Amino acid sequence: MADIETFKQENRVFAPPAEFVKNAAVSGMDAYNALCAEAERDYEGFWARLARENLQWNKPFTKTLNEADAPFYKWFEDGKINVSYNCLDVNLDNGNADKTAVIFESDDAKVTRVTYRELHKKVCHFANGLKSLGVKKGDRVVIYMPMSVEGVAAMQACARIGATHSVVFGGFSAKSLQERVIDAGAVAVITADYQVRGGKQLPLKSIVDEALAMGGCDTIRNVVVYKRAGADQLGRRSRPVAARCRRQPARRLRT
């Protein structure tokens, strides 16, 4: 029998350890089936319950689902929430502050572990830096970054201040980047001097420069550069993000 046929005939079941099941959010098939049955009976009530139990709302929603403009459905439309607050701040007070939030392995196999407390500080720093450059709620920001902890912080920082981020893969060309900047109407690009792959430094900031030089990117006011390789790549319209990290009141963080 061919390998692919062997895989198709696989029917073994591997049960997880009892201790793992006990600590799981959904502890076994009975619990899973109960959730499915609840969702089938009342899917609006099901999702409303989960949203209230698992998320912190600045302004609680009163309407779960608006189907008036189908297929453009709106969930929790009158509620207000901040994804960065729910990812980070809630973990500062629930016992997870010093637990690992991100594990990053770089090109040279160096492993970095970042706790929720450390990531929160980095995100606050970055968010306040973006605000000091005039980036505000409703603005669009293009993130053209290598895989890195700083890339995660950039996305979280945008969410924290209510800016919409658009991630552009670091392998895309200058032309592809330029088109996405124009489509988004972005006010800023967050990038790095280089990314490192296979031990080689591959330029990013110079590609951003090339993209902006193609024209049509008049909405861009700033280019923020992370010195991944330590190179001097700031150049025209570039800014380092330097703002004191402070934990602001929760009401100002949830947008």
Side-chain angles (χ1 to χ4, degrees), residues 135-176:
V135 180
K136 62 185 185 303
K137 180 179 178 180
D139 284 343
R140 276 81 65 197
V141 176
V142 166
I143 299 176
Y144 187 62
M145 293 276 286
M147 295 290 286
S148 59
V149 174
E150 286 70 22
V152 175
M155 290 183 279
Q156 284 280 333
C158 289
R160 198 166 189 86
I161 63 176
T164 301
H165 71 265
S166 173
V167 176
V168 178
F169 171 52
F172 279 4
S173 67
K175 181 60 178 174
S176 296

Side-chain angles (χ1 to χ4, degrees), residues 3-4 9 68 71 82 86 113 131 136 144 185 196 205 210 216 231 235 239 251-252:
D3 286 345
I4 190 67
Q9 298 300 319
N82 183 278
N86 277 270
R113 287 176 169 81
K131 288 174 66 176
K136 62 185 185 303
Y144 187 62
V196 182
K205 173 57 168 57
E210 182 182 350
R239 299 287 189 274
R251 63 180 181 275
R252 296 185 60 189

Side-chain angles (χ1 to χ4, degrees), residues 65-212:
L65 175 62
N66 183 348
E67 301 180 275
D69 193 24
F72 303 103
Y73 303 103
K74 295 179 180 178
W75 288 86
F76 318 120
E77 62 180 319
D78 62 343
K80 289 187 177 182
I81 197 169
N82 183 278
V83 67
S84 180
Y85 182 90
N86 277 270
C87 286
L88 298 176
D89 297 59
V90 295
N91 286 297
L92 300 184
D93 302 316
N94 64 4
N96 291 333
D98 295 313
K99 292 184 178 180
T100 300
V102 177
I103 301 174
F104 172 69
E105 182 174 348
S106 61
D107 186 74
D108 60 3
K110 179 181 178 182
V111 176
T112 301
R113 287 176 169 81
V114 182
T115 67
Y116 284 102
R117 192 189 309 278
E118 292 166 338
L119 185 58
H120 174 264
K121 182 176 180 179
K122 186 182 289 288
V123 170
C124 284
H125 190 152
F126 208 152
N128 282 296
L130 291 176
K131 288 174 66 176
S132 74
L133 298 177
V135 180
K136 62 185 185 303
K137 180 179 178 180
D139 284 343
R140 276 81 65 197
V141 176
V142 166
I143 299 176
Y144 187 62
M145 293 276 286
M147 295 290 286
S148 59
V149 174
E150 286 70 22
V152 175
M155 290 183 279
Q156 284 280 333
C158 289
R160 198 166 189 86
I161 63 176
T164 301
H165 71 265
S166 173
V167 176
V168 178
F169 171 52
F172 279 4
S173 67
K175 181 60 178 174
S176 296
L177 177 60
Q178 179 232 19
E179 291 172 348
R180 285 158 176 77
V181 167
I182 293 173
D183 287 345
V187 302
V189 175
I190 302 173
T191 189
D193 51 0
Y194 290 91
Q195 60 182 324
V196 182
R197 290 185 184 173
K200 298 180 179 179
Q201 292 186 2
L202 305 176
L204 284 180
K205 173 57 168 57
S206 61
I207 294 176
V208 173
D209 291 341
E210 182 182 350
L212 299 185

Side-chain angles (χ1 to χ4, degrees), residues 210-226:
E210 182 182 350
L212 299 185
M214 291 177 177
C217 302
D218 298 334
T219 55
I220 293 293
R221 299 194 296 266
N222 289 287
V223 176
V224 179
V225 183
Y226 161 50

